[in-house]
Amino acid sequence: MKNTFGSSLSLTIFGESHGCAIGAVLDGMAAGVPVEEKFLARCMDQRRARGDGLSTPRVEADRIRFLSGVVNGHTTGTAIALMIENQNTRSGDYAKTADLLRPGHADYTAYAKYHGFQDARGGGHFSGRVTAALVAGGAVVLAALQRAGIDIATHIARCSGISDIPFALDDPAALSAQVQTLATKEAGFAVLDAAAEEPMKAAIRSAGAEGDSVGGVLETAILGLPAGVGEPYFDSVESLLAHLAFSIPAVKGIEFGTGFGFADLRGSGANDAFRMKDGHIVTATNHNAGINGGIANGMPVVFRTVVKPTPSIYKQQDTVDYISKKDAQLSIQGRHDPCIVPRAAIVQTCAAALAVGDLLTARYGEGWMTRPATFRKEAN
Amino acid sequence: MKNTFGSSLSLTIFGESHGCAIGAVLDGMAAGVPVEEKFLARCMDQRRARGDGLSTPRVEADRIRFLSGVVNGHTTGTAIALMIENQNTRSGDYAKTADLLRPGHADYTAYAKYHGFQDARGGGHFSGRVTAALVAGGAVVLAALQRAGIDIATHIARCSGISDIPFALDDPAALSAQVQTLATKEAGFAVLDAAAEEPMKAAIRSAGAEGDSVGGVLETAILGLPAGVGEPYFDSVESLLAHLAFSIPAVKGIEFGTGFGFADLRGSGANDAFRMKDGHIVTATNHNAGINGGIANGMPVVFRTVVKPTPSIYKQQDTVDYISKKDAQLSIQGRHDPCIVPRAAIVQTCAAALAVGDLLTARYGEGWMTRPATFRKEAN
Amino acid sequence: MKNTFGSSLSLTIFGESHGCAIGAVLDGMAAGVPVEEKFLARCMDQRRARGDGLSTPRVEADRIRFLSGVVNGHTTGTAIALMIENQNTRSGDYAKTADLLRPGHADYTAYAKYHGFQDARGGGHFSGRVTAALVAGGAVVLAALQRAGIDIATHIARCSGISDIPFALDDPAALSAQVQTLATKEAGFAVLDAAAEEPMKAAIRSAGAEGDSVGGVLETAILGLPAGVGEPYFDSVESLLAHLAFSIPAVKGIEFGTGFGFADLRGSGANDAFRMKDGHIVTATNHNAGINGGIANGMPVVFRTVVKPTPSIYKQQDTVDYISKKDAQLSIQGRHDPCIVPRAAIVQTCAAALAVGDLLTARYGEGWMTRPATFRKEAN
Amino acid sequence: MKNTFGSSLSLTIFGESHGCAIGAVLDGMAAGVPVEEKFLARCMDQRRARGDGLSTPRVEADRIRFLSGVVNGHTTGTAIALMIENQNTRSGDYAKTADLLRPGHADYTAYAKYHGFQDARGGGHFSGRVTAALVAGGAVVLAALQRAGIDIATHIARCSGISDIPFALDDPAALSAQVQTLATKEAGFAVLDAAAEEPMKAAIRSAGAEGDSVGGVLETAILGLPAGVGEPYFDSVESLLAHLAFSIPAVKGIEFGTGFGFADLRGSGANDAFRMKDGHIVTATNHNAGINGGIANGMPVVFRTVVKPTPSIYKQQDTVDYISKKDAQLSIQGRHDPCIVPRAAIVQTCAAALAVGDLLTARYGEGWMTRPATFRKEAN
């Protein structure tokens, strides 16, 4: 199914940038799981544009309206449908250049696929706006995971050539502290290194001022995933996380733990030695990012994705008029982000929550949601 | 489903390294598709160990036996079951150190997941041996793709610190020539640069001689994928290719086109300008690797994966005895590859074939298989 | 996935009887398929209560609001989300007897499953009201099928002991005329025999007047399904139609063609002899209802379902107070149908459309929707 | 997926009647579940032909060979592949009449679907022989269900016009005794009424002697299914059981509990009153067959299917030569059952086990298999 992910806990997304609403159906949540508006609002806020030169001037309230599945602040056990209205649309911006394919965008592929029937206004279903639905649905799962002792957080590891402090891959305690730090940070710009924040912002604003855009790297950590979750081969922890990460528009690469650094290592330097610690089996290093043979080993899961620069730039570009089939030049109108990396951080966190929630439900059924404390005890 | 991939064209794999057989069920192939033993044998041969110091001394004939779904060299339209017998097993090698968790391996995660009931002999279901089933099933699809004008090839882009000539990402004609070169090469070591081959082999043998192992990078190209294949969001071309790539043991990262290089680019340098060429819409560059918004744009799809060094090394390693729950030291016995990168190339090609076959079948039904020429005409 | 049906063309439903809205997401429709409001409204109208003594006094406008996937009266190719607001709710009716399990209803099973967190107002997700979403989504597919030459219709074969003229199972031409008759009938009471209509209605009103309810049998015909659609074993035409038919609340049985009558036949009387007619292979009789080995043979597909009497009756009933765990007596309040058979007819038609749409898409991809005339030609 | 059923616990089947083997892959079983050869052999034996005039003279040993997933009599937690060799094939019987479509068979639909590439020998994939794989896979699940306190049994409710004693739908204790009786009966002819057995057998032999065949009704009971299992709408207990029942060749109808008898009942006579019994909520009657709103209510689940007479009969029949496209007459050769009802009983039991296993795994994860006693306690 094209717009559905997950077999035991699934999310179906829908909506277009300039349609009346975007939304999602989350199916598979047990009954009685708390759904706290405050938590959801905080997640939505992290994805929200602020009109501050770092993100698009199109600012949306992004209030989640539950159509079903949530009563009195708890899940009912049936499908949770939610919608988020599109309020601030200016389709006119796109009209003038509607026949000119925006480079780096899905205009041409949408045309090839939908033969002209696609909703092209504002990018339609391809718009990053649809990720608001992914965040809304994923945040419900994220909260349930937290109650079950599983924390997920994402920071801007690199942006416009400037690096943040990396996650402490090999040191669970230090990494846990980093995740806590991110949780207490004000929404909007998830970096660990206070000294990196302003230079990154300056670089984004500078690119924006030049009618250009910048890319970056997002790093996500998953803490508390019990050993034994995931499957060999097709449903490996890496497979599911990657499947969802590549669903985020602009993500073009992902690596786990030592990642591409493995290419030049030898086995003796790449293996993570096991050792006993406080009665538990742990690894001394964590090159493999908490995953062996596709299955969680109890160490932190850490991965990085690369986010390409926003394709929507104001600089003039070479392109094609797909109606006249002639070469042309395009100056994009509309309102766009000079960099989507900061806003994409929570999207990646929520995408990871969906993958983890699906894997847990496949193994433990609803138990991890309805009796998180018991689950925690048995799983460890 | 844990051991099944694909919703329109699916592969189910089974088997353990030291069980009687491994195999697969390929479901969704139309009736009447040619299945040529010679082609399959060539694919299997590319994955086969040779006992030449580059790969494990465990050499298997790897003859594919079809149990169903193939009659008179053609598919019948029903489930294709195939098995490959395990003939050269020496489980005794593992007995002595059975309680010592091999670092970098799935011993511990299998134990956490299966509570001691896993088939631990030779790595059981986690063994790279199971990828022979993936190659066998994938090769049937690969041949069908070729008849439909879609070529897939993989080369060793880097190994033990030595690089091959990269695929010509931006130049379809040159890339096509590279793919042809690989097709005519003798099986076993897929490099484009003849000058790189011997140094790579020497580095592998040298690591093996020291009881160690090396990793590398595989690069895959998909030519001829029609524009319009793939889905926005969850079933993006990237999502499906990545899902399958991470099913290959030892793969820990994947990037498409410019990949992690996007992090430091600006939009003006990262966008692929459209232009007309011979009446078709193409892109001047190919940073996005033939994929926009998750959907193929008709340009070549190119991706790279990183393959970690084989975790099985002969050097002594720190580990844990999981029965006594005490720290211990392990010297691995058994027969292993000092580097699996060369053998994994065809696995990655076949994995990509499965993803592409599933996407095509979802969009075009069986038509692309039964009437490849008509499909080709309509799709372009 | 619990609330999703279909793998190639899928419908996800959501909503509760007294929540703010019910709705559905239809995924897998090609781009450019016409969506005519008039046709949809007619389908919705056939399911609508009329407050005429035959159905519940709860009358809803049931206007379909598309949230995504439909622009300018055509599908865009992405997920079609639709919602129908609940306007006429009177949850107070249920408050008094909320702890008393309604016999024949899902009150107890919902309690066992959802541990008290279910939305119990008006039956919640179990309410027949949710079938409005199934009709809305199914009607989009139904219209596409009609354009591809496939007709589906359902009539009330029996109600409260009174029978309608049965579908002409063995005579495609006569059956086709019956289906046309139903199409031209005013909405609300699908019978072929004008003489049976008033007695049926009288029997329903009479049962309602006594605070009781009645059941019946629905018969559905599918015309124009091309030979070759469906799969042996798990995805047989019968399996998919039955799967969906049993998703309709109150359906407790289904039979195809001669159905339970096969029990007492001999093979010589049950087999459908093949013969040539106008250059086509047809069968002389149609005991097997157009399906051999799970696959359509080109003859009409005909099946009957039994619909149990509405469990909500006003007569006093023995039951249990599930809070006090004591035997009790219940007089149901609320507004209910003395018979849901008439309103369920279009639900069954739309459910069948979803099953057929999924099977066609699996075999032909999107082709049957985008080029119905070509499809028709090739399929015959 | 065409040959796969189940999303949490899945079975993939393969094979052709006259190919080298049939088989199945069962995926989703937890590790450590006992697999007892004796139990499996007993199940296979119930489906086996005996050459006694009641079933086909083609007698097969039907020994199950596990290729993977079972070691030392326990599941390993990975995919369980099994195969059953075809030993007694006589394809020559079919050669003479290969172009004549057998009425009631899938010859024509296979031709329409597979365009002549189908394996037509002995019915190929359409042969009832493939149900041996379904029994083998289902029996592994059936044994696990028994350990978890869930019993399933099927008897011949009616055959050739002669009825067995029906299951005691409304009386769990009496029904349980009936199920025990069936369990202790010698394999091969599952009737409750000793007085009905010989007349049924005589009627079958008599039809066979006349070159004809007979049909019948199978009735299945599921005891011990915990309240709360199943889903509203698409994954209702009825939907899944029906989906699988219709996968059994020759099944053309299914009804639950009072079934088609509901058509003429009033709600007051059809509702099952709740009452307390020994501290548990039960129903006084069981018209609804233990299922309300698609979800198990803890009472026995009882359903009946109709099995059409074997289409393969020796009497001369009218048909079509599909090569010459001319009317023709056919006298079927080959070896066939005059009645498949007795052999199909265990197939239906195993099919039901697969549906129940999938539903349990979706709700409880692996817990019901690995800790059946704990599961039993919590579920009640």
Side-chain angles (χ1 to χ4, degrees):
Chain A
M1 277 148 292
K2 303 165 172 181
N3 286 285
T4 299
F5 179 84
S7 43
S8 297
L9 178 61
S10 64
L11 189 78
T12 300
I13 55 172
F14 60 83
E16 279 92 32
S17 183
H18 290 202
C20 61
I22 58 166
V25 182
L26 178 64
D27 198 17
M29 292 297 292
V33 178
V35 176
E36 291 169 28
E37 281 195 35
K38 207 172 156 186
F39 180 85
L40 299 187
R42 186 177 147 76
C43 290
M44 294 304 286
D45 195 42
Q46 289 180 50
R47 204 206 70 93
R48 226 157 52 84
R50 284 154 211 291
D52 55 359
L54 294 172
S55 47
T56 174
R58 174 180 173 185
V59 178
E60 291 272 5
D62 283 350
R63 206 179 61 81
I64 300 170
R65 180 181 169 206
F66 286 102
L67 300 179
S68 72
V70 177
V71 171
N72 297 331
H74 288 80
T75 57
T76 62
T78 55
I80 299 171
L82 58 88
M83 65 183 275
I84 302 160
E85 290 189 31
N86 293 324
Q87 299 175 319
N88 185 351
T89 58
R90 289 199 339 225
S91 302
D93 289 352
Y94 296 81
K96 246 187 304 190
T97 57
D99 302 345
L100 301 179
L101 302 172
R102 291 171 299 163
H105 261 286
D107 294 347
Y108 173 57
T109 53
Y111 164 67
K113 187 176 188 66
Y114 304 122
H115 311 294
F117 287 99
Q118 65 273 20
D119 181 356
R121 299 166 299 162
H125 190 58
F126 293 88
S127 167
R129 169 122 191 91
V130 179
T131 61
L134 205 154
V135 170
V140 174
V141 180
L142 186 63
L145 290 173
Q146 286 189 354
R147 272 185 298 275
I150 298 167
D151 263 317
I152 309 181
T154 301
H155 75 114
I156 307 167
R158 187 171 175 85
C159 185
S160 192
I162 299 157
S163 291
D164 190 19
I165 297 165
F167 273 147
L169 181 63
D170 295 332
D171 184 343
L175 176 52
S176 182
Q178 290 174 321
V179 166
Q180 290 315 310
T181 302
L182 291 170
T184 54
K185 258 203 79 143
E186 215 174 308
F189 209 89
V191 287
L192 293 165
D193 184 356
E197 184 162 341
E198 282 315 315
M200 277 192 199
K201 287 181 170 173
I204 295 171
R205 286 200 180 92
S206 162
E210 298 173 41
D212 215 331
S213 65
V214 295
V217 172
L218 288 170
E219 188 174 42
T220 298
I222 307 172
L223 302 179
L225 191 61
V229 170
E231 298 292 331
Y233 295 96
F234 301 136
D235 285 354
S236 74
V237 174
E238 290 110 329
S239 285
L240 265 70
L241 287 170
H243 191 132
L244 273 172
F246 282 113
S247 300
I248 305 171
V251 168
K252 297 296 272 191
I254 187 169
E255 57 178 1
F256 290 82
T258 294
F260 278 88
F262 276 120
D264 293 348
L265 289 184
R266 284 194 162 190
S268 54
N271 282 347
D272 300 310
F274 289 104
R275 58 188 177 85
M276 297 304 303
K277 189 182 175 189
D278 308 332
H280 288 93
I281 296 170
V282 298
T283 62
T285 52
N286 192 18
H287 295 290
N288 284 286
I291 310 166
N292 292 137
I295 300 173
N297 68 14
M299 296 292 289
V301 172
V302 176
F303 65 93
R304 277 171 303 284
T305 59
V306 60
V307 180
K308 70 172 183 172
T310 325
S312 292
I313 56 174
Y314 297 101
K315 281 193 170 173
Q316 182 172 290
Q317 299 178 83
D318 290 337
T319 189
V320 158
D321 181 314
Y322 81 97
I323 301 294
S324 68
K325 302 269 186 207
K326 286 194 179 151
D327 288 342
Q329 299 233 304
L330 167 69
S331 294
I332 290 180
Q333 307 298 319
R335 297 165 294 173
H336 306 289
D337 298 76
C339 181
I340 61 162
V341 180
R343 297 177 64 195
I346 185 70
V347 181
Q348 186 151 305
T349 294
C350 287
L354 289 166
V356 170
D358 190 35
L359 285 168
L360 286 176
T361 309
R363 181 162 171 78
Y364 298 103
E366 304 177 354
W368 72 270
M369 296 183 243
T370 49
R371 291 177 296 187
T374 313
F375 155 74
R376 202 64 246 177
K377 219 163 153 185
E378 288 174 0
N380 283 330
Chain B
M1 276 148 292
K2 303 165 172 181
N3 286 285
T4 299
F5 180 84
S7 43
S8 297
L9 178 60
S10 64
L11 188 78
T12 301
I13 54 171
F14 61 82
E16 280 91 33
S17 182
H18 290 200
C20 60
I22 58 167
V25 182
L26 178 65
D27 199 16
M29 292 297 291
V33 179
V35 177
E36 292 169 27
E37 281 195 34
K38 207 172 155 184
F39 180 84
L40 299 187
R42 186 178 147 76
C43 290
M44 295 303 286
D45 195 41
Q46 289 179 49
R47 204 206 70 93
R48 226 156 53 84
R50 285 155 209 292
D52 56 359
L54 294 172
S55 49
T56 174
R58 175 180 173 185
V59 179
E60 291 271 5
D62 283 350
R63 206 178 62 80
I64 299 170
R65 180 181 169 205
F66 286 103
L67 301 179
S68 72
V70 177
V71 170
N72 296 331
H74 289 81
T75 56
T76 63
T78 55
I80 300 171
L82 58 89
M83 64 183 276
I84 302 161
E85 290 189 32
N86 292 324
Q87 298 176 318
N88 185 352
T89 59
R90 286 195 347 218
S91 301
D93 289 352
Y94 296 81
K96 247 188 303 188
T97 57
D99 302 344
L100 302 178
L101 303 172
R102 289 171 301 162
H105 261 287
D107 295 347
Y108 173 57
T109 52
Y111 163 67
K113 187 175 188 66
Y114 305 122
H115 313 294
F117 286 98
Q118 66 273 21
D119 181 356
R121 299 166 299 162
H125 189 59
F126 293 88
S127 167
R129 170 125 190 87
V130 178
T131 60
L134 204 154
V135 170
V140 173
V141 180
L142 185 63
L145 290 172
Q146 285 189 355
R147 272 185 299 275
I150 298 167
D151 262 317
I152 309 182
T154 301
H155 75 114
I156 307 168
R158 187 171 175 85
C159 185
S160 192
I162 299 156
S163 291
D164 190 18
I165 297 165
F167 272 146
L169 181 63
D170 296 331
D171 184 343
L175 177 52
S176 183
Q178 290 175 321
V179 166
Q180 290 316 310
T181 302
L182 290 171
T184 55
K185 258 204 81 151
E186 216 175 308
F189 209 88
V191 289
L192 293 165
D193 184 356
E197 184 162 341
E198 281 315 313
M200 278 192 199
K201 287 181 170 173
I204 294 171
R205 287 200 179 91
S206 162
E210 296 173 40
D212 215 330
S213 65
V214 296
V217 172
L218 289 171
E219 189 174 41
T220 299
I222 307 172
L223 301 178
L225 192 61
V229 170
E231 299 290 332
Y233 296 96
F234 300 136
D235 285 355
S236 72
V237 174
E238 291 111 328
S239 285
L240 265 70
L241 287 170
H243 191 131
L244 273 172
F246 282 113
S247 300
I248 306 172
V251 168
K252 297 296 274 191
I254 187 169
E255 57 178 3
F256 290 81
T258 294
F260 278 88
F262 276 119
D264 293 348
L265 289 184
R266 284 195 163 191
S268 54
N271 283 347
D272 300 311
F274 289 103
R275 58 189 178 86
M276 296 305 301
K277 189 183 174 189
D278 307 333
H280 289 92
I281 297 171
V282 299
T283 62
T285 53
N286 193 18
H287 295 291
N288 284 286
I291 310 166
N292 292 138
I295 300 173
N297 68 13
M299 295 292 290
V301 173
V302 176
F303 65 93
R304 279 170 303 283
T305 59
V306 60
V307 180
K308 70 173 183 170
T310 326
S312 292
I313 55 173
Y314 297 101
K315 281 192 171 174
Q316 183 172 290
Q317 299 178 83
D318 290 337
T319 190
V320 157
D321 181 315
Y322 80 97
I323 301 294
S324 69
K325 301 271 187 206
K326 285 194 179 150
D327 288 343
Q329 301 235 302
L330 166 69
S331 294
I332 289 179
Q333 307 298 318
R335 297 166 294 173
H336 306 288
D337 297 75
C339 181
I340 61 162
V341 180
R343 297 177 64 196
I346 184 68
V347 181
Q348 186 151 304
T349 294
C350 288
L354 290 166
V356 170
D358 191 34
L359 285 167
L360 287 177
T361 309
R363 181 161 171 79
Y364 300 101
E366 303 176 355
W368 72 269
M369 296 183 243
T370 51
R371 292 177 294 186
T374 312
F375 155 75
R376 204 61 248 176
K377 220 164 153 185
E378 288 175 359
N380 282 330
Chain C
M1 276 148 292
K2 303 165 172 181
N3 287 285
T4 300
F5 180 84
S7 43
S8 296
L9 177 61
S10 64
L11 188 79
T12 300
I13 54 171
F14 61 82
E16 280 92 32
S17 182
H18 291 201
C20 60
I22 57 166
V25 182
L26 178 65
D27 199 16
M29 292 298 291
V33 178
V35 176
E36 291 168 28
E37 282 196 33
K38 207 171 155 184
F39 180 85
L40 299 187
R42 185 176 148 78
C43 290
M44 295 303 287
D45 195 41
Q46 289 180 49
R47 203 206 71 93
R48 228 157 52 85
R50 285 155 209 291
D52 55 359
L54 294 172
S55 48
T56 174
R58 175 180 173 184
V59 178
E60 291 272 5
D62 283 351
R63 207 178 62 79
I64 300 170
R65 180 180 170 207
F66 286 102
L67 301 179
S68 72
V70 178
V71 170
N72 296 331
H74 289 80
T75 57
T76 62
T78 55
I80 299 171
L82 59 89
M83 64 183 275
I84 302 160
E85 289 189 34
N86 293 324
Q87 299 174 319
N88 186 350
T89 58
R90 289 199 340 225
S91 302
D93 289 351
Y94 297 82
K96 247 188 301 188
T97 57
D99 302 344
L100 301 178
L101 302 172
R102 289 171 299 163
H105 260 288
D107 294 347
Y108 172 57
T109 52
Y111 164 67
K113 186 176 188 67
Y114 304 122
H115 312 295
F117 286 99
Q118 65 273 21
D119 181 355
R121 299 165 300 162
H125 189 59
F126 293 88
S127 167
R129 170 124 191 89
V130 179
T131 60
L134 204 153
V135 170
V140 174
V141 180
L142 186 63
L145 290 173
Q146 285 188 356
R147 272 185 299 275
I150 298 167
D151 262 318
I152 309 182
T154 301
H155 74 115
I156 307 168
R158 187 171 174 85
C159 185
S160 192
I162 299 157
S163 291
D164 190 19
I165 297 165
F167 272 147
L169 181 63
D170 295 332
D171 184 343
L175 177 52
S176 183
Q178 290 175 320
V179 167
Q180 290 316 311
T181 301
L182 290 171
T184 55
K185 257 202 80 139
E186 214 174 308
F189 209 88
V191 289
L192 293 166
D193 184 356
E197 185 163 341
E198 281 315 315
M200 278 191 199
K201 287 181 170 174
I204 295 171
R205 286 201 180 92
S206 161
E210 297 173 40
D212 214 332
S213 64
V214 295
V217 172
L218 289 171
E219 189 174 41
T220 298
I222 307 172
L223 302 178
L225 191 61
V229 170
E231 298 291 331
Y233 296 95
F234 300 135
D235 285 355
S236 73
V237 174
E238 291 110 328
S239 286
L240 265 69
L241 287 170
H243 191 131
L244 273 172
F246 282 113
S247 300
I248 305 172
V251 168
K252 297 297 273 191
I254 187 169
E255 58 177 2
F256 290 81
T258 294
F260 278 88
F262 276 120
D264 293 347
L265 290 184
R266 284 194 164 190
S268 54
N271 283 347
D272 299 311
F274 288 103
R275 56 188 179 87
M276 296 304 302
K277 188 182 174 189
D278 308 332
H280 288 94
I281 297 170
V282 299
T283 63
T285 53
N286 192 18
H287 295 290
N288 284 286
I291 311 166
N292 292 139
I295 300 173
N297 68 13
M299 295 292 290
V301 172
V302 176
F303 65 92
R304 278 169 303 284
T305 59
V306 60
V307 180
K308 69 172 183 172
T310 325
S312 292
I313 55 173
Y314 297 101
K315 282 195 170 171
Q316 183 172 288
Q317 300 178 83
D318 290 337
T319 190
V320 157
D321 181 315
Y322 81 98
I323 301 294
S324 68
K325 302 269 186 207
K326 285 194 179 150
D327 288 341
Q329 299 233 304
L330 167 68
S331 294
I332 289 179
Q333 307 298 319
R335 297 165 294 172
H336 306 289
D337 297 77
C339 180
I340 61 163
V341 179
R343 298 177 62 196
I346 185 68
V347 182
Q348 187 151 304
T349 294
C350 287
L354 290 166
V356 170
D358 191 34
L359 285 168
L360 286 177
T361 310
R363 180 161 171 80
Y364 298 102
E366 303 177 354
W368 72 270
M369 297 183 243
T370 50
R371 292 177 295 186
T374 314
F375 155 75
R376 202 64 246 176
K377 217 164 155 185
E378 287 174 0
N380 283 331
Chain D
M1 275 148 291
K2 304 166 173 182
N3 286 284
T4 299
F5 179 85
S7 44
S8 296
L9 177 61
S10 64
L11 188 79
T12 301
I13 55 172
F14 61 82
E16 280 91 33
S17 182
H18 291 200
C20 60
I22 58 165
V25 181
L26 177 65
D27 199 16
M29 292 298 291
V33 178
V35 176
E36 290 169 28
E37 282 196 32
K38 208 172 155 184
F39 180 85
L40 299 187
R42 186 177 147 76
C43 290
M44 295 303 286
D45 194 41
Q46 290 179 49
R47 203 205 70 92
R48 226 156 53 83
R50 283 155 212 291
D52 55 0
L54 294 172
S55 48
T56 175
R58 175 180 172 185
V59 178
E60 290 272 4
D62 283 350
R63 206 178 62 79
I64 300 169
R65 180 180 170 206
F66 286 102
L67 300 178
S68 72
V70 177
V71 170
N72 296 330
H74 289 80
T75 58
T76 62
T78 55
I80 299 171
L82 58 88
M83 65 183 275
I84 302 161
E85 290 189 31
N86 293 325
Q87 298 175 321
N88 186 351
T89 58
R90 287 196 344 221
S91 302
D93 289 351
Y94 297 81
K96 250 188 301 190
T97 57
D99 301 345
L100 301 178
L101 302 172
R102 290 172 299 163
H105 261 287
D107 294 347
Y108 172 57
T109 52
Y111 163 67
K113 188 176 187 66
Y114 304 122
H115 312 295
F117 287 98
Q118 66 273 20
D119 181 357
R121 300 166 300 162
H125 189 58
F126 292 89
S127 167
R129 170 125 191 86
V130 178
T131 60
L134 204 153
V135 170
V140 173
V141 180
L142 185 64
L145 290 172
Q146 286 189 354
R147 272 185 299 276
I150 298 167
D151 262 317
I152 309 181
T154 301
H155 75 115
I156 307 168
R158 187 170 175 86
C159 185
S160 193
I162 299 157
S163 290
D164 190 18
I165 298 165
F167 272 146
L169 181 64
D170 295 332
D171 184 342
L175 177 52
S176 183
Q178 290 175 321
V179 167
Q180 290 317 309
T181 301
L182 290 171
T184 55
K185 257 203 81 148
E186 216 173 307
F189 209 88
V191 288
L192 292 165
D193 183 356
E197 184 163 343
E198 281 314 315
M200 277 192 200
K201 287 181 171 174
I204 295 171
R205 285 200 181 93
S206 162
E210 297 172 39
D212 214 330
S213 65
V214 295
V217 172
L218 288 171
E219 189 174 42
T220 298
I222 307 172
L223 302 178
L225 192 61
V229 171
E231 298 291 331
Y233 295 96
F234 301 136
D235 285 355
S236 73
V237 174
E238 290 112 329
S239 285
L240 265 69
L241 287 170
H243 191 132
L244 273 172
F246 282 113
S247 301
I248 305 172
V251 168
K252 296 297 273 191
I254 188 169
E255 57 177 2
F256 290 81
T258 294
F260 278 88
F262 275 120
D264 293 347
L265 290 184
R266 285 194 162 191
S268 54
N271 282 347
D272 300 310
F274 289 103
R275 58 187 178 86
M276 297 304 303
K277 188 183 175 190
D278 309 333
H280 288 93
I281 296 171
V282 298
T283 62
T285 52
N286 193 18
H287 295 291
N288 284 286
I291 310 166
N292 293 137
I295 300 174
N297 67 13
M299 296 292 289
V301 172
V302 176
F303 66 92
R304 277 171 303 285
T305 59
V306 60
V307 180
K308 70 171 182 172
T310 325
S312 292
I313 55 174
Y314 296 101
K315 282 192 171 174
Q316 183 171 289
Q317 298 178 83
D318 289 338
T319 190
V320 158
D321 181 314
Y322 80 97
I323 300 294
S324 68
K325 301 271 187 204
K326 287 195 177 148
D327 288 341
Q329 300 234 303
L330 166 68
S331 294
I332 289 179
Q333 306 298 318
R335 297 166 295 172
H336 306 289
D337 298 75
C339 181
I340 61 162
V341 180
R343 297 176 65 196
I346 185 68
V347 181
Q348 186 151 304
T349 295
C350 287
L354 290 166
V356 170
D358 190 34
L359 285 167
L360 287 176
T361 309
R363 181 161 170 80
Y364 299 102
E366 303 176 354
W368 71 270
M369 297 183 241
T370 50
R371 292 176 295 185
T374 313
F375 155 73
R376 203 62 247 177
K377 220 164 152 184
E378 288 174 1
N380 283 330

